[in-house]
Amino acid sequence: MIHIHHRANDSSPLSAQLDDESDTAAAGAALAKALCAGLVIYLRGDLGAGKTTLVRGALRALGHDGKVKSPTYTLIEPYLVSRLNLYHFDFYRFAVPEEYLEAGLDEYFDGNGVCLVEWPDKAAPYIAAPDLEIRLTVSGPGRRLEALALTEAGRTCIRKLDSELSGTPT
């Protein structure tokens, strides 16, 4: 079961306790309903925190029924789903930030797709700034999700996410 900790205002983070992997996937499904083209979302968390599980939940909710794997070795996994071009990035293996430039990934951040980025700090300062940051941390047997909006597009997304997770209309 997902336990929501309601936000004080639009500038405070959304916080939720996710009891298990299915809750993490369900949070991803809720996120899918809040996505719009042009969003850049940083996914933060240690190895095994559930970042790819969250993305898998979003992709399933958007109608993708194929395999969803972490792009640790490929850097990017593109998905054309539902109404969106969704790009899942993982920069964990970057030794230096310049590898982002050498890979020529800027074109994906042109505002037409949704970019979900694991390990964004490995590409800083070259990567586009986020609209939303989602942090997943291990918390007992489950996970803690914190989402913080950093732009107006991010605030719109987080309001929808909050509504989806809590089951209240926006």
Side-chain angles (χ1 to χ4, degrees):
M1 173 176 261
I2 299 175
H3 308 277
I4 306 296
H5 304 278
H6 291 285
R7 302 177 311 136
N9 56 51
D10 270 359
S11 62
S12 60
L14 169 66
S15 181
Q17 180 65 36
L18 311 172
D19 288 343
D20 54 28
E21 185 175 339
S22 66
D23 282 353
T24 304
L31 177 63
K33 294 177 182 178
L35 296 176
C36 66
L39 282 174
V40 175
I41 301 173
Y42 285 5
L43 302 173
R44 299 186 184 277
D46 291 336
L47 290 171
K51 299 177 297 291
T52 298
T53 300
L54 185 80
V55 172
R56 185 175 296 115
L59 285 165
R60 294 282 182 254
L62 290 168
H64 179 73
D65 58 2
K67 189 171 181 171
V68 177
K69 59 184 178 167
S70 176
T72 301
Y73 293 100
T74 59
L75 300 181
I76 180 174
E77 289 291 333
Y79 300 92
L80 304 177
V81 289
S82 184
R83 65 195 192 285
L84 297 169
N85 292 327
L86 191 140
Y87 306 108
H88 182 198
F89 297 90
D90 186 332
F91 300 138
Y92 179 74
R93 300 215 172 269
F94 280 180
V96 295
E98 288 71 21
E99 288 183 67
Y100 172 82
L101 298 174
E102 292 166 10
L105 300 173
D106 278 345
E107 67 189 63
Y108 292 100
F109 292 86
D110 66 2
N112 292 321
V114 174
C115 297
L116 298 167
V117 185
E118 297 186 36
W119 304 98
D121 294 344
K122 298 264 192 168
Y126 306 111
I127 189 171
D131 296 294
L132 183 66
E133 286 191 6
I134 296 176
R135 178 173 300 280
L136 290 162
T137 53
V138 176
S139 177
R143 304 290 183 264
R144 178 168 230 25
L145 178 146
E146 287 190 342
L148 180 64
L150 301 168
T151 66
E152 189 53 43
R155 283 185 280 283
T156 298
C157 181
I158 207 169
R159 280 191 295 271
K160 291 177 183 177
L161 175 59
D162 190 1
S163 174
E164 287 296 325
L165 289 173
S166 61
T168 59
T170 50

